[in-house]
Amino acid sequence: MTAATTGVEWAIGLLYREFHPAVLRYLRARGAHSPENAAEQVWMQVARGLQHFSGDEVAFRRWLFDLARRPLESDERPDDPIEVDAELLG
């Protein structure tokens, strides 16, 4: 983790290779609209924030999946107002 947080390329690559498949599986399982795009956004956030990260691999995994959950929250759409009105009208 120390090497990755200081910008050592091989260490960042190792994190990506280790965790990217799990992030994609998580996003797919949770029904992300576009899992590949969501994962790309997650890794861009990791790249921007990694130098400020402190913690071990468990803390990194927690942070990573917290970042992965955020695109899912933005994928949630409110009920379609037309459907709601139709339901109310019977």
Side-chain angles (χ1 to χ4, degrees):
M1 286 308 311
T2 302
T5 59
T6 58
V8 176
E9 192 172 323
W10 65 263
I12 296 168
L14 183 65
L15 288 175
Y16 179 83
R17 285 188 300 280
E18 183 175 340
F19 290 107
H20 182 68
V23 169
L24 268 178
R25 280 192 307 271
Y26 174 78
L27 292 167
R28 286 183 180 128
R30 299 293 304 241
H33 179 68
S34 177
E36 292 79 11
N37 288 344
E40 180 181 330
Q41 293 300 314
V42 168
W43 287 105
M44 287 174 48
Q45 290 176 347
V46 168
R48 284 191 294 268
L50 192 57
Q51 72 270 10
H52 303 293
F53 176 79
S54 63
D56 61 6
E57 189 174 319
V58 172
F60 176 77
R61 184 178 178 87
R62 189 178 309 120
W63 177 55
L64 179 65
F65 282 90
D66 181 52
L67 294 174
R69 186 174 45 253
R70 292 177 189 175
L72 297 172
E73 293 168 355
S74 67
D75 274 354
E76 294 176 7
R77 310 266 192 281
D79 290 345
D80 185 342
I82 295 171
E83 286 182 32
V84 172
D85 289 344
E87 290 174 13
L88 292 174
L89 295 174

